[in-house]
Amino acid sequence: MATSSGPEIGYADYLRLDKILDAQDLQSTKFGREAHDEMLFIVIHQAYELWFKQILHELDRVQANFANTPLDDSRLGQILHSLLRVHEILKLLVHQIDILETMTPQDFLEFRDLLTSGSGFQSLQFRLVETRLGLSPEHRLLYDGTGVHSRLKSDERDALVAAEQTQSLVEQLDAWLSRTPFVKAGSFAFSEAYRTAVLDFLTKDIKTLSAHEGLDAEQREAETRALEKAKESFKALFEPEAYEGAWRMSPEAVQAALFITVYRDRPVLHMPSRLLATLMDIDEAMTLWRYRHALMVERMIGVKIGTGGSSGHEYLRKTAEKHRIFTDLFHLSTYLIPRSALPELPAHVERMMKFVYAEEPAE
Amino acid sequence: MATSSGPEIGYADYLRLDKILDAQDLQSTKFGREAHDEMLFIVIHQAYELWFKQILHELDRVQANFANTPLDDSRLGQILHSLLRVHEILKLLVHQIDILETMTPQDFLEFRDLLTSGSGFQSLQFRLVETRLGLSPEHRLLYDGTGVHSRLKSDERDALVAAEQTQSLVEQLDAWLSRTPFVKAGSFAFSEAYRTAVLDFLTKDIKTLSAHEGLDAEQREAETRALEKAKESFKALFEPEAYEGAWRMSPEAVQAALFITVYRDRPVLHMPSRLLATLMDIDEAMTLWRYRHALMVERMIGVKIGTGGSSGHEYLRKTAEKHRIFTDLFHLSTYLIPRSALPELPAHVERMMKFVYAEEPAE
Amino acid sequence: MATSSGPEIGYADYLRLDKILDAQDLQSTKFGREAHDEMLFIVIHQAYELWFKQILHELDRVQANFANTPLDDSRLGQILHSLLRVHEILKLLVHQIDILETMTPQDFLEFRDLLTSGSGFQSLQFRLVETRLGLSPEHRLLYDGTGVHSRLKSDERDALVAAEQTQSLVEQLDAWLSRTPFVKAGSFAFSEAYRTAVLDFLTKDIKTLSAHEGLDAEQREAETRALEKAKESFKALFEPEAYEGAWRMSPEAVQAALFITVYRDRPVLHMPSRLLATLMDIDEAMTLWRYRHALMVERMIGVKIGTGGSSGHEYLRKTAEKHRIFTDLFHLSTYLIPRSALPELPAHVERMMKFVYAEEPAE
Amino acid sequence: MATSSGPEIGYADYLRLDKILDAQDLQSTKFGREAHDEMLFIVIHQAYELWFKQILHELDRVQANFANTPLDDSRLGQILHSLLRVHEILKLLVHQIDILETMTPQDFLEFRDLLTSGSGFQSLQFRLVETRLGLSPEHRLLYDGTGVHSRLKSDERDALVAAEQTQSLVEQLDAWLSRTPFVKAGSFAFSEAYRTAVLDFLTKDIKTLSAHEGLDAEQREAETRALEKAKESFKALFEPEAYEGAWRMSPEAVQAALFITVYRDRPVLHMPSRLLATLMDIDEAMTLWRYRHALMVERMIGVKIGTGGSSGHEYLRKTAEKHRIFTDLFHLSTYLIPRSALPELPAHVERMMKFVYAEEPAE
């Protein structure tokens, strides 16, 4: 390929198709009982690994950006761009299951016994994606008392441990959010103003309920209990001692996330609020992928033990819930209040959130 | 519209757009505090209801066809066609959630209080879809001790009860499968031949396991337990007394489904096997829709009580599993054996499964 | 429905299901020859119309925001939010075609003759969407010498004409882009700095080509011609007399769009650059919808005349290209240059594009 | 991996991740100016090639089955299964474009010059897919007077030529359709019965038109012309001399396809009719992929010459139409008539199309 700066290189060489298209070693062929669908099984898993590599490549950039303290606003565009791409990729990975499901259980059976101990559990890259996003070892669901490490080769295990010891995206996010100016600026403290507003709102809600004919006693109670509980977790945000366990991120980070959410119309919060929404999209897409994967496995092997001794669909289904990462962001919605009830921001805070040029009108 | 057989009728009149586009009454407008996103909330739910109507229309045809005993093969094409369409529609309904998620919790909050007692729980059409597919009242997950009936208006309740008292698709399927010829034809009895084959296979599996160095003791035990359990449930297929509870469909139906699955290459089984696969696709799509719906609700209202006093995402998430219908079909994969181990079919059975013309070659 | 502020209203009443689910009048039933698939045909078109209404609702907000001069930055979040939603809706509308394609030509034939003069050509809402985005009457592809007006009822025609006489989104975008500060700030003029850079780059490209062994003479010429042509259209940006016809937007708007594209990393340009990308996404989704629609029609009626005397697929396929709106944005990519070659921005311009708080660091 | 029949092999070794994940050689890195998005560019093209390999693997099976003459009905299930999978894969390939579009033109520009002569034009596998489906050299759109061969390496060229000299799927389909019994069975000849019915129907259509007040003169003429033209092409089906060029498949094949389409309810035609529908789905998905690809290229490089000297989007857009393969199947819909008007089939033909067991009722 003649390039302005380099030697000839053609399509096939550039993409290293010699490697890519020569990497499908069907076990069934090796053992003299070719199973047509083993090709699909291999190809789709290789496609998954290619995409995992791309996701890790995006996380490299995102985390490198977040590693800058303070984070220059100019980096936010690139961070959001990479995360939106990760979300697009995850949506494709969910879609890919449609193709795997064109394999019938009977066809899978033709080569399943050749894979008894290899399984997705052993995908180092997927473990790295989870870990770098913020799934810590202690949050991982054990399988038969053993963790994922036992299923990896030693060099893979080292790579995973190294990742576990590095700051994860959720930790970087926490640090970045905690530094958010505006939340506490001079005489203004969002936490105080907002705290009262939310508690009043929840209290009003409870009153409304008691006067609610539409609900039977049982329901009314249930709703009341839930609202009371919500009140407690919210208070915890402002009481360090009560905080433990109520939230995963630090109180400062949660408060900042709330601030960004409710005042998202301000210019300076446009990108941060999109960032938070995209992280929820990613969490949701990962969860969905796990759930669909579980359904697919159930369909493929029924109640049997999965390849590699995985307990199959039940375990996988549990991870869909248990392995979520940005749950705090999902729970914020409990503590939102109508715009009309939002504390007004002092002029000096509003000003900080505008662009310089707007201060010196160009028109 | 000048037609060969009728008077003029234009696009807008034909589609009754006077009704369709005049059916968005924003409560927020009525109460003088317009919330932009209420329009989306209404439009998307109306779109869901339109599609539910179409699904019911397809089920009408499918069930009318199944009501014919015996079912003429010529009807299978139409039945499969309608079910494939239902699957396509369900995939769209899952996709629609992407649009609803463009509504932020804060924007939902602007009109949420106006809907405190109305909710998807009250969609009669969705209840009818579930019921006609085969979700019986006793399989429904209660909410606060009350069922769905209590949430419907009396005329709606009557319609639901009527549907509950009619034969559901899963019941019609059971009856149709149970009548499958070939499974027991003359001297041949699939159940006997296959039973031994499967039990041998499972026993061999267990032996293999005990010699499996790749697994630690714990895992080996777990797999063994699972295989033993599988053996029991399979035996139950042939022991009426042990059967109760092990399966949802009748033993005859399950055996026929197994027969169709393992001999699906035979001409007469092409359509029936596609039919079974499509029913699993539908079950999976419904489950996925419920699951995504649960995630969306969690994101929208956090740990709060949902509109209409629905307990929100936790309840919804439970229904994703609990409200499945064709689980027996999913579990069949546990009892499949490699083609090489399949009992050979006697010539007279093979012949029955061919087309007449093939008996009197046309070429 | 007991609400904190209003009377009871249930799910069915809130969604006006009395209207929505009572709006399917099958012509085939009326003429005593029920065609099963007419229900799908009606339902899917009604779903389209519901979504068109939502798109118009979003355009209302977007255009109302753009109507503010100057446009306060705080409005950009809402504008982008609505446009992203429109894009999501359009993706769904493309997906819906999958469902319509479950209708076979034979099944469509059973009621096609009842619709001879009604057709999508008569969808007022779709015409309004096109018009408000910026498809002007003179850009519309004629059909049989007649435009879309002739196919509408008089009151519908009035609504369309009114929309045609109002400022479209592309016109509002042009005005907004033309006002972009930074592009010309004090001593700095982007057009001059960038113009030279691009021309140098294109000239260098042409040189590289002539030395390119990888291409045969013919190809080299073709590439050279294309680059020369590109050079001319670019120069036109700065030569009012040569400008006519080369671009659809004003030179000021195109220059600003270029500025936003190449300096998109600057905080103040994050949202504007996402906005431009989203408008291209919308244009692409509309084009794709038209194209898929054309393929579907060809499949459904072959070379026949469409319902309502539409020339069917050929006409539709042409509109996919001819009715595009934001083509100028697509063509910008011809005039991009590597970041390394970008003119450096003077300090006072860089400063204008930052947030106030960043000038008075909060940390 | 302990297997019942083989040695240990783990996940990473089984999938040859050593090759797969080591095949991303970024040119930009090699030339010391790393471009983040080159990874995406390489990964997505590698994913495409993996899927092309899978498609070819399915075509191997489909074509091997079709190579059997006569084709035993038992093979139809497998053929349809593979084609449905190809369709699912093509839908994913279209979806993948969403991910590529997260790359901005500016980011592509950072490494575009390093690829000046390599391009998708050089994907041997894609050429093989096209060729094996039935895109013959003479139907290929030339680019700058040169064909695809000139862009391949000699060994690749040989592989393509070999494929071009082998029977394609469309040719195998033609042969198989032409052998369809029932179309001409004993005294019955579908062509005669149906020919008259269609011509009567078209004539009646024309009459209706002339009495159609809903249309203006111009439109009426246009419709009449189209119907007359349709009449001619249909007649050609039965007049060998007039046939040339009117259709791509043989008259026997087209007639059989028509027979299968209109009598698809008959048991023996269920699978063949699904087969024809799936081939149209595949044709449509390929077309859509080409069209979206063209839009993406336009967005990425504007009016510039593409990598590898491809003329970029205009050429690609043309191929979307020009490179279609199963167009004859799409045009059949022009010659369908309402079920009520279908010629009745003689009893001996109806009987041939049933299953043997149905002749000797099992119930």
Side-chain angles (χ1 to χ4, degrees):
Chain A
M1 180 189 267
T3 70
S4 44
S5 30
E8 287 271 339
I9 178 168
Y11 177 84
D13 299 332
Y14 177 55
L15 297 178
R16 297 309 311 270
L17 297 186
D18 54 330
K19 286 182 172 181
I20 296 292
L21 302 178
D22 187 44
Q24 295 73 36
D25 301 340
L26 280 65
Q27 292 292 309
S28 60
T29 312
K30 193 183 294 167
F31 291 107
R33 32 179 270 236
E34 181 162 6
H36 178 81
D37 281 10
E38 189 181 1
M39 178 67 83
L40 175 63
F41 190 79
I42 291 175
V43 161
I44 198 168
H45 281 88
Q46 290 175 331
Y48 273 121
E49 290 291 334
L50 280 176
W51 288 116
F52 291 155
K53 179 164 186 172
Q54 185 62 41
I55 291 175
L56 289 169
H57 183 62
E58 299 303 331
L59 288 178
D60 285 340
R61 183 162 77 171
V62 170
Q63 295 200 275
N65 274 314
F66 266 121
N68 290 275
T69 329
L71 182 68
D72 189 287
D73 294 311
S74 65
R75 295 175 177 279
L76 275 184
Q78 208 177 59
I79 289 175
L80 180 58
H81 193 74
S82 275
L83 291 175
L84 285 169
R85 177 176 293 166
V86 169
H87 181 219
E88 278 303 329
I89 293 173
L90 289 171
K91 284 197 284 184
L92 185 88
L93 300 192
V94 172
H95 182 169
Q96 280 191 180
I97 295 178
D98 286 348
I99 299 179
L100 193 49
E101 288 191 333
T102 62
M103 178 170 76
T104 68
Q106 180 80 59
D107 292 330
F108 183 36
L109 188 64
E110 299 301 317
F111 61 95
R112 207 170 75 195
D113 63 315
L114 301 172
L115 320 175
T116 42
S117 72
S119 90
F121 275 91
Q122 299 171 343
S123 169
L124 171 64
Q125 289 199 125
F126 186 61
R127 294 307 159 213
L128 289 174
V129 169
E130 295 178 316
T131 302
R132 292 181 56 179
L133 283 175
L135 180 60
S136 54
E138 64 270 27
H139 283 94
R140 276 192 191 283
L141 198 60
L142 284 188
Y143 166 62
D144 282 347
T146 71
V148 291
H149 294 76
S150 67
R151 298 168 188 287
L152 299 175
K153 289 191 279 185
S154 70
D155 57 332
E156 295 176 327
R157 200 177 299 122
D158 299 344
L160 182 55
V161 170
E164 289 168 349
Q165 288 160 355
T166 320
Q167 222 189 11
S168 71
L169 181 56
V170 74
E171 288 163 334
Q172 293 180 306
L173 179 74
D174 193 319
W176 173 67
L177 284 171
S178 305
R179 291 193 312 265
T180 311
F182 329 125
V183 179
K184 206 166 182 40
S187 61
F188 171 73
F190 169 66
S191 59
E192 283 150 35
Y194 197 71
R195 177 185 187 171
T196 336
V198 171
L199 294 179
D200 291 354
F201 191 67
L202 290 171
T203 315
K204 184 172 142 301
D205 257 14
I206 297 176
K207 268 212 202 61
T208 312
L209 264 174
S210 55
H212 191 327
E213 289 90 26
L215 306 173
D216 54 47
E218 199 165 1
Q219 245 178 304
R220 197 183 291 108
E221 266 175 51
E223 292 204 33
T224 313
R225 270 196 309 281
L227 287 172
E228 289 293 2
K229 187 171 167 309
K231 246 169 114 169
E232 290 323 305
S233 330
F234 185 69
K235 281 184 187 154
L237 268 180
F238 314 95
E239 295 156 1
E241 60 286 351
Y243 195 78
E244 208 37 45
W247 300 81
R248 194 154 165 183
M249 294 196 296
S250 69
E252 295 69 27
V254 175
Q255 288 177 36
L258 254 171
F259 183 90
I260 291 169
T261 304
V262 298
Y263 296 111
R264 73 172 201 271
D265 289 342
R266 305 315 193 268
V268 83
L269 302 180
H270 282 160
M271 295 295 282
S273 58
R274 294 222 148 270
L275 191 69
L276 298 184
T278 305
L279 289 170
M280 285 192 271
D281 290 334
I282 287 174
D283 203 354
E284 224 177 296
M286 292 271 290
T287 306
L288 214 57
W289 184 77
R290 289 188 165 100
Y291 194 78
R292 274 211 68 181
H293 184 207
L295 284 172
M296 184 269 293
V297 168
E298 176 183 7
R299 182 172 182 162
M300 218 52 87
I301 64 173
V303 300
K304 271 199 182 174
I305 291 296
T307 53
S310 57
S311 73
H313 68 95
E314 280 165 30
Y315 174 84
L316 289 168
R317 190 171 286 114
K318 282 200 208 94
T319 65
E321 266 327 288
K322 188 82 167 59
H323 286 180
R324 287 176 63 192
I325 292 161
F326 299 98
T327 42
D328 281 355
L329 299 179
F330 283 79
H331 295 156
L332 288 185
S333 45
T334 315
Y335 308 106
L336 300 179
I337 58 181
R339 288 192 176 77
S340 53
L342 285 181
E344 210 174 294
L345 297 176
H348 75 282
V349 176
E350 290 284 10
R351 185 173 165 282
M352 288 168 69
M353 299 194 282
K354 290 189 173 159
F355 289 108
V356 171
Y357 90 90
E359 290 291 284
E360 305 141 1
E363 319 192 38
Chain B
M1 178 190 270
T3 70
S4 42
S5 29
E8 286 272 339
I9 177 168
Y11 176 85
D13 298 331
Y14 177 55
L15 298 178
R16 297 308 311 270
L17 297 186
D18 55 331
K19 285 182 173 181
I20 295 292
L21 302 178
D22 186 44
Q24 295 74 35
D25 300 340
L26 280 65
Q27 291 292 309
S28 60
T29 313
K30 192 183 295 169
F31 291 108
R33 31 179 269 237
E34 181 162 8
H36 178 82
D37 282 9
E38 189 181 0
M39 179 67 82
L40 174 63
F41 190 79
I42 291 176
V43 161
I44 198 167
H45 281 88
Q46 289 175 331
Y48 272 121
E49 290 292 334
L50 280 176
W51 288 117
F52 291 155
K53 179 163 186 175
Q54 185 61 41
I55 290 176
L56 289 169
H57 183 62
E58 299 303 332
L59 288 179
D60 284 341
R61 184 163 75 170
V62 169
Q63 295 201 274
N65 274 313
F66 265 121
N68 290 274
T69 330
L71 182 67
D72 188 287
D73 294 310
S74 65
R75 296 174 177 279
L76 275 183
Q78 207 178 60
I79 289 175
L80 180 58
H81 193 75
S82 275
L83 291 174
L84 285 169
R85 178 176 292 166
V86 169
H87 181 219
E88 279 302 330
I89 293 173
L90 289 171
K91 284 198 284 183
L92 185 88
L93 300 192
V94 173
H95 182 169
Q96 279 190 181
I97 295 178
D98 286 349
I99 299 179
L100 193 49
E101 289 191 333
T102 62
M103 178 171 77
T104 68
Q106 180 80 59
D107 292 330
F108 183 36
L109 187 63
E110 299 301 317
F111 61 95
R112 205 171 78 196
D113 64 315
L114 302 174
L115 321 174
T116 42
S117 71
S119 91
F121 275 91
Q122 299 171 343
S123 169
L124 170 63
Q125 289 199 125
F126 187 62
R127 294 307 161 213
L128 289 174
V129 170
E130 295 179 315
T131 302
R132 292 182 54 179
L133 283 174
L135 180 61
S136 53
E138 62 271 25
H139 282 95
R140 276 191 191 281
L141 199 60
L142 283 188
Y143 167 61
D144 283 345
T146 72
V148 293
H149 294 76
S150 67
R151 297 166 188 286
L152 298 176
K153 288 190 282 186
S154 69
D155 58 332
E156 295 176 327
R157 199 175 300 122
D158 299 343
L160 182 55
V161 169
E164 289 168 348
Q165 287 160 355
T166 320
Q167 224 188 7
S168 71
L169 181 56
V170 73
E171 288 164 332
Q172 292 179 307
L173 178 74
D174 194 320
W176 174 67
L177 284 171
S178 305
R179 290 194 312 264
T180 310
F182 329 125
V183 178
K184 208 167 180 37
S187 61
F188 172 74
F190 168 66
S191 61
E192 284 149 34
Y194 196 72
R195 177 185 189 172
T196 335
V198 171
L199 294 178
D200 291 355
F201 191 68
L202 290 171
T203 314
K204 183 172 144 301
D205 258 15
I206 297 176
K207 269 213 201 61
T208 313
L209 265 174
S210 56
H212 191 325
E213 288 91 26
L215 305 173
D216 55 46
E218 199 166 0
Q219 247 179 304
R220 196 183 291 107
E221 266 175 52
E223 292 204 34
T224 314
R225 270 196 309 281
L227 287 172
E228 290 292 3
K229 189 173 165 311
K231 247 169 112 168
E232 291 323 303
S233 329
F234 185 68
K235 282 185 187 152
L237 269 181
F238 313 96
E239 295 157 2
E241 62 287 351
Y243 195 79
E244 207 39 43
W247 300 81
R248 195 154 165 183
M249 295 195 296
S250 69
E252 294 69 28
V254 175
Q255 288 177 36
L258 253 171
F259 183 90
I260 291 168
T261 304
V262 298
Y263 296 111
R264 73 171 200 272
D265 290 342
R266 306 314 194 268
V268 82
L269 302 180
H270 282 160
M271 296 295 281
S273 58
R274 295 224 148 268
L275 191 70
L276 297 183
T278 305
L279 289 170
M280 285 192 271
D281 289 335
I282 287 174
D283 203 353
E284 224 177 295
M286 292 270 291
T287 307
L288 213 58
W289 184 77
R290 288 187 167 102
Y291 194 78
R292 274 211 69 180
H293 184 205
L295 283 173
M296 183 271 292
V297 168
E298 176 184 6
R299 181 172 183 163
M300 216 55 85
I301 64 174
V303 300
K304 272 201 180 172
I305 290 295
T307 53
S310 56
S311 74
H313 67 94
E314 279 163 32
Y315 174 85
L316 289 168
R317 191 170 286 113
K318 284 202 208 93
T319 65
E321 267 326 289
K322 187 82 166 56
H323 286 180
R324 286 175 62 192
I325 292 161
F326 299 98
T327 43
D328 281 355
L329 299 180
F330 283 80
H331 295 156
L332 287 185
S333 45
T334 316
Y335 307 107
L336 300 179
I337 59 181
R339 287 190 177 76
S340 53
L342 286 180
E344 210 176 292
L345 297 175
H348 75 281
V349 177
E350 291 285 10
R351 186 173 165 283
M352 288 168 68
M353 300 195 281
K354 292 190 173 155
F355 289 107
V356 171
Y357 91 92
E359 290 293 284
E360 306 141 359
E363 317 193 39
Chain C
M1 179 191 268
T3 70
S4 45
S5 28
E8 286 271 340
I9 177 167
Y11 177 84
D13 298 332
Y14 177 54
L15 297 178
R16 298 305 313 269
L17 297 187
D18 54 332
K19 285 183 173 180
I20 296 292
L21 302 178
D22 186 44
Q24 295 73 36
D25 301 339
L26 280 64
Q27 291 293 309
S28 60
T29 313
K30 192 183 296 170
F31 290 108
R33 32 179 267 238
E34 182 162 8
H36 177 81
D37 282 10
E38 189 182 0
M39 179 67 83
L40 174 64
F41 190 78
I42 291 175
V43 162
I44 198 168
H45 281 88
Q46 290 175 331
Y48 273 121
E49 290 292 334
L50 279 175
W51 287 117
F52 291 155
K53 179 163 186 174
Q54 185 62 40
I55 291 176
L56 290 170
H57 183 62
E58 299 303 331
L59 288 178
D60 285 341
R61 184 162 76 171
V62 170
Q63 296 201 273
N65 274 313
F66 265 121
N68 289 274
T69 326
L71 182 67
D72 188 288
D73 294 310
S74 66
R75 296 174 176 279
L76 274 183
Q78 206 177 61
I79 289 174
L80 180 59
H81 194 74
S82 276
L83 291 175
L84 285 169
R85 178 176 291 166
V86 169
H87 181 219
E88 279 303 330
I89 292 173
L90 289 171
K91 284 197 285 183
L92 186 88
L93 300 192
V94 173
H95 183 170
Q96 279 190 184
I97 294 179
D98 286 349
I99 299 180
L100 193 49
E101 289 191 332
T102 62
M103 179 170 77
T104 69
Q106 179 82 58
D107 292 330
F108 183 35
L109 187 63
E110 299 301 318
F111 61 95
R112 207 171 73 193
D113 63 315
L114 301 173
L115 321 175
T116 42
S117 70
S119 90
F121 275 90
Q122 299 171 343
S123 169
L124 170 63
Q125 288 198 125
F126 186 63
R127 295 306 160 214
L128 289 174
V129 169
E130 296 179 313
T131 301
R132 291 180 55 179
L133 283 174
L135 180 61
S136 54
E138 63 271 26
H139 282 95
R140 277 192 191 282
L141 199 59
L142 284 188
Y143 167 62
D144 284 345
T146 71
V148 293
H149 295 77
S150 67
R151 296 165 190 286
L152 299 175
K153 289 190 282 186
S154 70
D155 58 332
E156 295 176 327
R157 198 175 301 123
D158 299 344
L160 182 55
V161 169
E164 288 168 348
Q165 287 160 355
T166 319
Q167 224 189 8
S168 71
L169 181 56
V170 74
E171 289 164 331
Q172 293 179 307
L173 178 76
D174 194 319
W176 173 67
L177 284 171
S178 305
R179 290 192 313 263
T180 310
F182 330 124
V183 178
K184 206 167 181 41
S187 60
F188 172 73
F190 168 66
S191 60
E192 284 150 35
Y194 196 73
R195 177 185 188 172
T196 335
V198 172
L199 294 179
D200 291 355
F201 191 71
L202 290 171
T203 314
K204 185 171 141 300
D205 258 13
I206 297 175
K207 267 210 202 62
T208 313
L209 264 174
S210 56
H212 191 327
E213 288 90 26
L215 305 173
D216 55 45
E218 199 166 0
Q219 248 178 303
R220 194 182 295 111
E221 265 175 54
E223 292 204 33
T224 313
R225 269 196 310 280
L227 288 171
E228 290 292 3
K229 189 174 167 307
K231 247 169 110 166
E232 291 322 304
S233 328
F234 184 69
K235 282 185 186 154
L237 268 181
F238 314 96
E239 295 158 2
E241 62 287 350
Y243 195 80
E244 207 39 44
W247 300 81
R248 194 151 166 186
M249 295 195 297
S250 70
E252 295 69 29
V254 175
Q255 288 177 37
L258 254 171
F259 183 89
I260 291 168
T261 305
V262 298
Y263 296 110
R264 74 172 199 272
D265 290 342
R266 307 313 194 270
V268 82
L269 301 180
H270 282 159
M271 296 296 280
S273 58
R274 294 222 148 272
L275 191 70
L276 298 184
T278 306
L279 288 171
M280 285 191 272
D281 290 334
I282 287 174
D283 203 354
E284 224 177 295
M286 293 270 290
T287 306
L288 214 58
W289 183 77
R290 288 188 166 101
Y291 194 78
R292 275 211 68 181
H293 185 206
L295 284 173
M296 183 269 293
V297 168
E298 176 183 6
R299 181 171 182 164
M300 215 55 84
I301 64 173
V303 300
K304 272 200 182 174
I305 290 296
T307 54
S310 56
S311 74
H313 68 95
E314 278 163 31
Y315 174 85
L316 289 167
R317 190 170 286 114
K318 283 200 208 97
T319 65
E321 265 327 286
K322 186 80 164 61
H323 286 180
R324 288 175 61 191
I325 292 161
F326 300 98
T327 42
D328 282 354
L329 299 180
F330 283 80
H331 295 156
L332 288 185
S333 46
T334 315
Y335 308 107
L336 300 179
I337 58 181
R339 287 192 176 74
S340 53
L342 286 181
E344 211 175 290
L345 296 176
H348 75 280
V349 176
E350 291 285 8
R351 187 174 165 282
M352 288 167 69
M353 300 194 280
K354 291 187 174 161
F355 288 108
V356 170
Y357 90 92
E359 290 293 282
E360 306 139 0
E363 317 190 42
Chain D
M1 180 190 268
T3 70
S4 45
S5 29
E8 287 270 340
I9 178 168
Y11 178 84
D13 299 331
Y14 177 55
L15 298 178
R16 299 307 313 270
L17 297 186
D18 55 330
K19 285 183 172 180
I20 295 293
L21 301 178
D22 186 44
Q24 295 74 36
D25 302 340
L26 280 65
Q27 291 293 308
S28 60
T29 312
K30 192 184 295 167
F31 291 108
R33 31 179 270 234
E34 183 165 5
H36 178 81
D37 282 9
E38 189 181 1
M39 179 67 83
L40 175 64
F41 190 78
I42 291 175
V43 161
I44 198 167
H45 281 87
Q46 291 175 331
Y48 272 121
E49 290 291 335
L50 280 176
W51 287 117
F52 291 155
K53 179 163 186 173
Q54 185 62 40
I55 291 175
L56 289 169
H57 183 62
E58 299 303 332
L59 288 179
D60 285 340
R61 184 163 76 171
V62 169
Q63 294 199 276
N65 274 314
F66 266 121
N68 289 275
T69 327
L71 181 68
D72 187 288
D73 294 310
S74 66
R75 295 174 177 279
L76 275 184
Q78 208 177 60
I79 289 175
L80 180 58
H81 194 74
S82 275
L83 291 175
L84 286 168
R85 177 175 294 166
V86 169
H87 181 219
E88 279 302 330
I89 293 173
L90 289 171
K91 283 197 285 184
L92 185 89
L93 300 192
V94 173
H95 182 170
Q96 279 190 183
I97 295 178
D98 286 349
I99 300 180
L100 193 49
E101 288 191 333
T102 62
M103 179 170 77
T104 68
Q106 179 83 59
D107 292 330
F108 183 36
L109 188 64
E110 298 301 317
F111 60 97
R112 206 172 74 195
D113 63 316
L114 301 173
L115 322 174
T116 40
S117 71
S119 90
F121 275 91
Q122 299 171 343
S123 169
L124 171 63
Q125 289 198 123
F126 186 62
R127 293 306 159 214
L128 289 174
V129 169
E130 295 179 315
T131 301
R132 292 181 55 179
L133 284 174
L135 180 61
S136 55
E138 64 270 26
H139 282 95
R140 276 191 190 282
L141 200 59
L142 283 188
Y143 166 63
D144 283 346
T146 71
V148 292
H149 295 76
S150 68
R151 298 166 188 285
L152 299 175
K153 287 190 282 185
S154 69
D155 59 331
E156 295 176 326
R157 198 176 301 122
D158 299 343
L160 182 55
V161 170
E164 288 167 349
Q165 288 160 356
T166 320
Q167 224 190 10
S168 70
L169 181 56
V170 75
E171 289 164 332
Q172 293 180 305
L173 179 75
D174 194 320
W176 174 66
L177 284 171
S178 305
R179 291 194 311 266
T180 310
F182 330 124
V183 179
K184 207 168 180 44
S187 60
F188 172 74
F190 168 66
S191 59
E192 283 151 35
Y194 197 71
R195 177 186 188 169
T196 336
V198 172
L199 294 180
D200 291 355
F201 190 67
L202 289 172
T203 314
K204 185 172 142 300
D205 258 15
I206 297 175
K207 269 213 200 60
T208 313
L209 264 175
S210 55
H212 190 326
E213 287 90 25
L215 305 173
D216 55 46
E218 199 165 2
Q219 247 178 305
R220 196 182 293 108
E221 266 174 52
E223 292 205 33
T224 314
R225 269 198 310 282
L227 287 171
E228 290 293 2
K229 188 172 166 308
K231 246 169 113 167
E232 290 323 303
S233 330
F234 184 69
K235 282 184 187 155
L237 269 181
F238 314 95
E239 295 157 2
E241 61 287 350
Y243 196 78
E244 208 39 42
W247 300 81
R248 194 153 166 183
M249 295 195 296
S250 69
E252 294 71 26
V254 175
Q255 288 177 35
L258 254 172
F259 182 91
I260 291 169
T261 304
V262 299
Y263 296 110
R264 72 173 202 272
D265 290 342
R266 307 313 193 267
V268 83
L269 301 180
H270 282 160
M271 296 295 282
S273 57
R274 295 223 146 270
L275 190 70
L276 298 184
T278 306
L279 289 171
M280 285 192 272
D281 290 334
I282 287 174
D283 203 354
E284 224 177 295
M286 292 271 289
T287 306
L288 214 57
W289 183 77
R290 289 190 166 100
Y291 194 78
R292 275 212 67 180
H293 184 208
L295 284 172
M296 184 268 294
V297 168
E298 176 184 6
R299 182 170 182 164
M300 216 55 84
I301 63 174
V303 299
K304 271 198 181 175
I305 291 294
T307 54
S310 56
S311 73
H313 68 94
E314 279 164 33
Y315 174 84
L316 289 168
R317 189 170 288 115
K318 282 199 209 96
T319 65
E321 265 327 286
K322 187 82 166 59
H323 286 180
R324 288 175 62 191
I325 293 162
F326 300 97
T327 42
D328 281 355
L329 299 180
F330 283 79
H331 295 158
L332 287 185
S333 44
T334 316
Y335 308 107
L336 300 178
I337 58 180
R339 288 192 176 75
S340 53
L342 286 180
E344 209 174 295
L345 296 176
H348 75 281
V349 176
E350 290 284 9
R351 186 173 164 283
M352 287 168 69
M353 299 195 280
K354 290 187 173 161
F355 289 108
V356 170
Y357 90 91
E359 289 293 283
E360 304 140 2
E363 319 190 43

